[in-house]
């Protein structure tokens, strides 16, 4: 997410303003200046990343500016500067909510480091805000990843979503099969209508038929009122069968009729009800193999398998782990009202070395544990020790993967800002660009 945050500098001394502005601009920052507190408060907006204010000024002093700035935006970092500082003043500033307190004279490096940390804090807070705004149904269908396998999956979803074709989604547990189904729904013309999900593996067989087809009054003992089944309820929308391999064989033939004729007949009724819906079915096993074993009807398999979308396991898209983890980290921080913790290279190495048998769902849980403070390897991985992939990577492959993960994480952390990323990694700019070319990375994709 691109964030061009500016630095707002307020000081009644023109020479101090010009000197500070020059120092900050030479470091690549956008700077706005104000000669007094009232003018500074008028300049605070969503693009303001940090406010630097002198303490002693005519009119509104630094503490008044701090208080009023926090009323405008309580998350705006405020750095207070004074040439007459003492310990009690510094304590008062921090207790009043200042991000930091600097006493004149100070080296330009101290100012730049403090501003850099404040801007990093500001970006994380604003990303948090944005995530809170986007936590609606549509944003929940975003498929995160840049690997070729994920790009292909997104391409297929975009091509198929606009049609009414039934889709079979195949993938291991936790890979995000329902996410794919929801993406198909929300990218289609059926979006205004219902997305109805049914987990075939969690439904007791004795109520399966009634749950799917509905029933009329008196159709069986206890049927005291008419019930609309899931199929009819999904009319004009999307019906999602998760773990369809678990559907009882007697029901499979009835589902086949629904798919072929687009009608449903409630239990105890002689009437058929037309339904207009798309069916998306998900499975974690080979349905063709289940057909050979006699556990799944072959005609239903071929009826469902018009388009198949394969959801790759996380171990086959390891390059996406840093990006996914950062995504889940920010969402977890928004949920728990916490500051997102910094993802260190050591944490990335642990995440990248693990096999993730629970796939993306397990990674999401790991991000939640990390936000909650369970930051060691065992805590992040739910008590599991990191293990390797099915094929052990060579030393060169491990080094390349780790290096790429660190670069991606820093780019994501700094919103694609090359200057800040280079400084954080402490590498020459030319070396950094060489590595970007080597790994096919572009800073713009992280903004």
């Amino acid at each position: 997410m691109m964030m061009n945050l500016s630095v707002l500098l307020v000081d009644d001394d023109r020479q101090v303003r010009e000197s500070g502005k020059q120092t900050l601009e030479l470091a690549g920052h956008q700077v706005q200046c104000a000669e007094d507190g009232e003018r500074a408060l008028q300049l605070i907006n969503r693009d303001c990343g940090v406010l630097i204010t002198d303490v002693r000024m005519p009119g509104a002093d630094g503490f008044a500016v701090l208080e009023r700035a926090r009323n405008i935006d309580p998350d705006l970092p405020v750095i207070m500067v004074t040439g007459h500082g003492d310990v009690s003043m510094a304590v008062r500033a921090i207790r009043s909510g200042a991000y930091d307190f600097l006493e004149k004279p100070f080296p330009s490096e101290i100012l730049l480091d403090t501003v850099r940390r404040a801007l990093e804090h500001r970006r994380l807070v604003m990303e948090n805000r944005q995530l809170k705004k986007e936590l609606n149904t549509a944003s929940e269908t975003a498929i995160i990843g840049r690997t070729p396998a994920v790009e292909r999956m997104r391409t297929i979803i975009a091509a198929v979503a606009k049609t009414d074709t039934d889709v079979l989604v195949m993938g291991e547990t936790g890979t995000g099969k329902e996410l794919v189904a929801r993406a198909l729904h929300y990218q289609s013309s059926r979006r205004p209508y219902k997305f109805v999900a049914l987990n075939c593996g969690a439904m007791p067989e004795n109520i399966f038929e009634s749950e799917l087809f509905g029933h009329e009054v008196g159709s069986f003992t206890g049927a005291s009122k008419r019930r609309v089944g899931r199929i009819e309820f999904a009319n004009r929308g999307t019906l999602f069968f998760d773990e369809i391999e678990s559907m009882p064989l007697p029901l499979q033939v009835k589902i086949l009729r629904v798919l072929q004729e687009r009608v449903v007949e409630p239990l105890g009724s002689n009437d058929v009800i037309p339904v207009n819906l798309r069916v998306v079915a998900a499975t974690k096993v080979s349905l063709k193999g289940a057909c050979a074993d006699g556990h799944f009807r072959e005609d239903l398999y071929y009826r469902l398998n018009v388009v198949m979308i394969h959801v790759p396991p996380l171990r086959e898209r390891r390059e996406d782990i840093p990006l996914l983890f950062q995504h889940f980290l920010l969402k977890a921080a928004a949920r728990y009202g916490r500051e997102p913790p910094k993802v260190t290279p050591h944490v990335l190495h642990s995440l990248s070395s693990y096999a993730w048998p629970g796939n993306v769902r397990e990674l999401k849980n790991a991000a939640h544990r990390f936000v909650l403070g369970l930051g060691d390897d065992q805590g992040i991985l739910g008590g599991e020790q990191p293990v390797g992939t099915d094929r052990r990577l060579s030393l060169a492959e491990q080094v390349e993967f780790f290096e790429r993960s660190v670069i991606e994480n820093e780019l994501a952390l700094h919103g694609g800002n090359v200057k800040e990323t280079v400084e954080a990694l402490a590498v020459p700019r030319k070396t950094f660009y060489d590595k970007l070319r080597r790994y096919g990375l572009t800073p713009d994709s992280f903004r």
Side-chain angles (χ1 to χ4, degrees):
M1 180 166 51
M2 179 62 177
M3 292 184 188
N4 292 317
L5 299 178
S6 63
V7 178
L8 177 54
L9 175 62
V10 52
D11 198 300
D12 61 315
D13 187 322
R14 183 176 62 83
Q15 188 174 349
V16 171
R17 287 199 309 273
E18 291 179 354
S19 174
K21 185 173 187 290
Q22 183 180 42
T23 298
L24 291 164
E25 287 183 338
L26 286 173
H29 298 293
Q30 297 180 13
V31 185
Q32 287 184 295
C33 288
E35 67 278 3
D36 58 56
E38 293 295 338
R39 176 58 182 157
L41 293 167
Q42 294 172 9
L43 293 173
I44 294 176
N45 56 38
R46 67 180 305 275
D47 295 323
C48 185
V50 57
L51 168 62
I52 306 172
T53 179
D54 192 21
V55 172
R56 299 193 175 185
M57 296 184 294
D61 68 4
F63 285 99
V65 171
L66 170 63
E67 181 181 359
R68 291 172 62 184
R70 286 178 58 79
N71 288 334
I72 296 171
D73 187 341
D75 296 319
L76 177 66
V78 178
I79 300 170
M80 303 190 72
V81 179
T82 182
H84 312 277
D86 56 32
V87 173
S88 61
M89 184 180 288
V91 170
R92 179 188 170 194
I94 300 302
R95 285 181 174 174
S96 299
Y99 178 81
D100 211 335
F101 183 91
L102 301 179
E103 184 177 0
K104 301 175 185 176
F106 47 80
S108 59
E109 292 80 8
I110 297 294
L111 174 64
L112 293 176
D113 181 66
T114 306
V115 168
R116 179 188 61 79
R117 288 187 286 106
L119 287 173
E120 183 177 299
H121 171 84
R122 179 65 166 173
R123 285 191 182 90
L124 289 174
V125 168
M126 293 184 73
E127 285 174 358
N128 223 342
R129 283 185 188 174
Q130 189 63 27
L131 277 171
K132 287 179 180 178
K133 291 180 182 178
E134 293 176 357
L135 289 180
N136 52 41
T137 309
S139 69
E140 289 298 310
T141 66
I143 296 174
I144 307 297
R146 297 189 180 93
T147 53
V150 174
E151 294 288 0
R152 283 195 300 271
M153 188 167 66
R154 276 198 290 258
T155 300
I156 295 172
I157 290 171
V160 174
K162 306 301 182 185
T163 72
D164 280 331
T165 306
D166 294 332
V167 178
L168 182 62
V169 183
M170 186 171 180
E172 296 177 7
T173 299
T175 50
K177 297 185 290 295
E178 183 170 342
L179 182 66
V180 170
R182 289 184 180 274
L184 285 165
H185 176 76
Y186 286 107
Q187 291 181 36
S188 74
S189 60
R190 298 182 182 275
R191 175 174 179 162
Y193 306 102
K194 292 181 176 62
F195 176 90
V196 180
L198 181 72
N199 190 320
C200 301
M203 184 69 62
E205 190 169 343
N206 61 331
I207 66 168
F208 213 130
E209 189 169 5
S210 172
E211 189 71 24
L212 273 177
F213 296 92
H215 61 257
E216 297 293 338
V217 176
S219 57
F220 55 84
T221 303
S224 58
K225 60 180 181 179
R226 184 179 185 274
R227 175 180 173 82
V228 174
R230 298 285 186 95
I231 297 173
E232 185 180 351
F233 190 62
N235 187 38
R236 303 178 76 182
T238 301
L239 178 62
F240 174 57
F241 288 117
D242 198 8
E243 298 187 25
I244 197 169
E245 71 274 8
S246 303
M247 181 176 287
L249 278 168
L251 277 179
Q252 290 181 23
V253 67
K254 296 186 176 184
I255 290 297
L256 180 62
R257 185 190 177 204
V258 172
L259 294 178
Q260 290 175 335
E261 302 179 23
R262 271 2 192 214
V263 295
V264 61
E265 185 176 338
L267 295 177
S269 174
N270 293 322
D271 297 326
V272 292
I273 301 171
V275 287
N276 171 12
L277 49 76
R278 158 183 267 161
V279 173
V280 180
T283 177
K284 60 179 182 292
V285 303
S286 168
L287 288 187
K288 197 169 185 180
C291 292
D293 295 337
H295 297 142
F296 201 82
R297 291 184 62 94
E298 195 170 31
D299 48 4
L300 178 57
Y301 166 65
Y302 287 115
R303 183 63 183 80
L304 286 169
N305 192 24
V306 180
V307 174
M308 177 183 282
I309 298 177
H310 173 70
V311 187
L314 196 52
R315 65 179 177 275
E316 293 180 6
R317 45 181 296 211
R318 287 180 175 273
E319 293 86 352
D320 287 334
I321 289 174
L323 187 64
L324 279 165
F325 190 70
Q326 186 74 15
H327 171 75
F328 292 136
L329 197 69
L330 292 172
K331 293 181 72 173
R335 174 179 174 180
Y336 299 120
R338 296 192 175 191
E339 190 72 20
K342 183 174 177 60
V343 182
T344 65
H346 176 70
V347 170
L348 274 179
H349 179 68
S350 296
L351 296 172
S352 303
S353 302
Y354 185 54
W356 299 109
N359 291 294
V360 178
R361 183 182 298 148
E362 188 180 7
L363 181 65
K364 180 179 180 180
N365 292 340
H368 281 246
R369 286 192 292 271
F370 192 59
V371 168
L372 292 172
L374 304 175
D376 60 307
D377 290 346
Q378 288 196 355
I380 295 173
L381 303 175
E384 299 290 340
Q385 288 292 340
V387 295
T389 58
D390 295 336
R391 178 185 72 81
R392 290 188 64 82
L393 299 176
S394 68
L395 176 61
E397 288 174 323
Q398 291 186 56
V399 169
E400 285 190 3
F401 179 79
F402 180 62
E403 185 175 63
R404 175 181 176 143
S405 298
V406 171
I407 292 172
E408 286 183 325
N409 182 66
E410 286 298 331
L411 279 168
L413 191 63
H414 297 290
N417 186 298
V418 171
K419 184 178 185 302
E420 293 179 5
T421 304
V422 166
E423 289 177 354
L425 294 174
V427 296
R429 187 178 289 261
K430 182 180 183 305
T431 302
F432 179 73
Y433 276 111
D434 288 342
K435 292 185 184 298
L436 289 184
R437 284 191 292 272
R438 179 177 182 177
Y439 298 124
L441 301 174
T442 55
D444 287 345
S445 62
F446 293 86
R447 293 170 178 162

